[in-house]
């Protein structure tokens, strides 16, 4: 009770008694079950899990795991910290100055940077500040629905921005944009507040397709005096050879985007955040907008963003770049230690917000599908993929130092399985 709090202990005692009442356990087993539940209980009910799906950015599993440096930064910033205070002068300072400086050092193509709550907040803030009561010009091929039924167009229109759709599902040409931009303005006030390019991060349109690129749009946008926003989703700051089709902030800014938006917990590999990079004048307008205060990042996020950049390679990039041969060795090692299962080819995926449809060749340990449930419910929960009546354990997203925990979890699930079959 001292460590976890009385309410937590009481909750566990009651839940265990209820299990006895439902005859799931015997009344005599209650004290032992309570003791083991208390032992396994962390200070929050969120439990660390091993992601054995091979999907690097798994939104249901908390997206990017933080680097060691970012975890340490969270600890350091957890108490009082100088997030908005200058220790030299004793005066108030710019909030999150260190995270901003780290972002600008990592992405020199940007004049300024701002960190907000998440990618959706970045998009809402950008379109509201630049186009409230006006319209954003947006290709019909890029009206993305992200997870859980949320649609980016609904997010944008929620703050009184209207959407001016151009083109079709499969083809949108530069002329579709320029026709609207050239008709706009004149003697009347401008109707278009911004042009928005959205990375179709979770789907691909193939076949008879056409799009206007950021480089195509930059000139006409500049001529019309309308800012060009690029929502990149995935969070790469630089091109990554492993994902040649994936957009990155540096290339987008160099191609002429005035503002790029990315998520912090996708391929950037950090905490949940929205990262805005771009022209100083535009970032300044966004930072001064009333909505900026409603979506601002907390001190923990700012600390973790900085450390994600300055620390060693974040785990998402290590998983992305994992050598298939090394994955095969680890998987074979696991099979040998377990004495069961087959090592089979298994493609990993980038997952939410990047690399749609791009397979990442790798390997998995194939086990009977009935093990998946006990793996999920073990002391160290392991989430694997169930497909074709098999449970596929993929090591791509498991840190090598966690291999022994994975082995222990697999042994315990196999042990429970044997007991059941007896
Ligand atoms: C993921 C994504 C978002 C939303 O970002 P969150 O950080 O999840 O809020 C917006 N746009 C695109 C293109 C995305 O991929």
């Amino acid at each position: 009770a001292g460590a976890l709090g009385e309410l937590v202990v009481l909750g566990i005692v009651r839940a265990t008694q209820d299990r006895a009442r439902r005859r799931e356990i015997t009344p005599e087993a209650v004290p032992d079950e309570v003791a083991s539940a208390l032992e396994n209980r962390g200070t929050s009910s969120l439990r660390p899990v091993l992601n054995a799906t091979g999907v690097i950015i798994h939104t249901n599993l908390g997206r990017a795991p933080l680097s060691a440096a970012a975890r340490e930064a969270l600890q350091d910033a957890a108490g009082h910290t100088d997030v908005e205070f200058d220790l030299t002068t004793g005066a108030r300072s710019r909030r999150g100055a260190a995270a901003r400086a780290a972002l600008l050092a990592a992405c020199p193509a940007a004049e300024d940077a701002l960190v907000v709550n998440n990618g959706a907040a970045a998009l809402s803030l950008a379109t509201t500040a630049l186009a409230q009561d006006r319209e954003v010009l947006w290709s019909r091929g890029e009206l993305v629905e992200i997870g859980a039924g949320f649609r980016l167009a609904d997010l944008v229109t929620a703050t009184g921005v209207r959407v001016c759709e151009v083109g079709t599902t499969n083809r949108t040409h530069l002329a579709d944009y320029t026709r609207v931009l050239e008709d706009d303005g004149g003697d009347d006030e401008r109707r278009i507040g911004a042009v928005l390019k959205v990375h179709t991060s979770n789907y691909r349109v193939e076949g008879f397709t056409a799009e206007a690129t950021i480089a195509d749009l930059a000139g006409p946008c500049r001529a019309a005096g309308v800012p060009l926003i690029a929502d990149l989703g995935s969070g790469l700051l630089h091109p990554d050879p492993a994902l040649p089709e994936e957009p990155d902030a540096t290339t987008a800014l160099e191609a002429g985007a005035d503002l790029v938006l990315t998520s912090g917990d996708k391929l950037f590999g950090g905490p949940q955040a929205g990262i805005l990079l771009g022209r100083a004048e535009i970032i300044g307008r966004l930072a001064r907008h009333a909505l900026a205060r409603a979506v601002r990042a907390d001190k923990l996020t700012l600390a973790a963003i900085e450390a994600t950049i300055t620390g060693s390679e974040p785990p998402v990039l290590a998983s992305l770049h994992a050598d298939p041969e090394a994955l095969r060795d680890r998987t074979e090692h696991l099979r040998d230690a377990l004495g069961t299962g087959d090592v089979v080819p298994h493609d990993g995926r980038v997952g939410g917000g990047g690399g749609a449809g791009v397979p990442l060749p790798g390997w998995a340990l194939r086990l009977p599908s009935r093990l998946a449930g006990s793996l999920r419910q073990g002391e160290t929960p392991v989430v694997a993929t169930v497909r074709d009546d098999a449970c596929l354990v993929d090591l791509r997203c498991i840190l090598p130092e966690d291999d022994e925990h994975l082995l222990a979890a697999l042994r315990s699930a196999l042990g429970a399985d044997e007991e059941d079959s007896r």
Side-chain angles (χ1 to χ4, degrees), residues 63 118-121 123 144 146 152 198-202 231-234 262-266 272-274 352-354:
R63 290 198 182 158
N118 61 1
L123 180 61
V144 182
I146 48 176
L152 294 185
V198 178
H199 173 45
T200 56
S201 56
N202 52 10
D231 177 4
L232 306 182
S234 52
T262 71
S263 292
D265 52 0
K266 294 180 179 171
Q272 177 187 303

Side-chain angles (χ1 to χ4, degrees), residues 70-95:
R71 288 168 195 240
E72 214 171 285
L74 288 182
Q75 281 286 344
D76 292 345
H80 288 133
T81 184
D82 57 345
V83 65
E84 217 175 290
F85 186 74
D86 186 329
L87 291 169
T88 316
T89 62
R92 180 180 177 175
S93 70
R94 181 177 180 146
R95 185 180 177 85

Side-chain angles (χ1 to χ4, degrees), residues 56 98 119 147 154 207 217 266:
I56 299 173
D154 293 340
L217 288 164
K266 294 180 179 171

Side-chain angles (χ1 to χ4, degrees), residues 7 39 94 149 203 343 413:
L7 284 179
E39 220 165 87
R94 181 177 180 146
Y203 66 97
V343 176

Side-chain angles (χ1 to χ4, degrees), residues 248-315:
D248 66 277
T250 300
T251 306
L253 290 167
E254 284 173 352
D258 297 299
L259 181 66
V260 301
L261 322 174
T262 71
S263 292
D265 52 0
K266 294 180 179 171
L267 289 172
F268 178 78
Q272 177 187 303
I275 299 171
L276 301 102
L277 295 159
R279 284 194 14 230
E281 181 262 325
I282 292 185
I283 295 277
R285 265 163 80 188
L286 268 48
R288 287 188 300 273
H289 192 277
L291 199 53
R293 180 56 194 250
V295 298
R296 84 172 181 186
D298 81 323
K299 60 181 179 176
L300 300 177
T301 302
L302 294 167
I305 290 271
E306 180 190 354
T308 299
I309 297 169
T310 56
S312 55
E313 182 180 58

Side-chain angles (χ1 to χ4, degrees), residues 196-213:
L196 180 62
K197 265 301 276 181
V198 178
H199 173 45
T200 56
S201 56
N202 52 10
Y203 66 97
R204 282 205 312 208
V205 180
E206 282 175 71
F208 188 52
T209 62
E211 70 168 318
T213 63

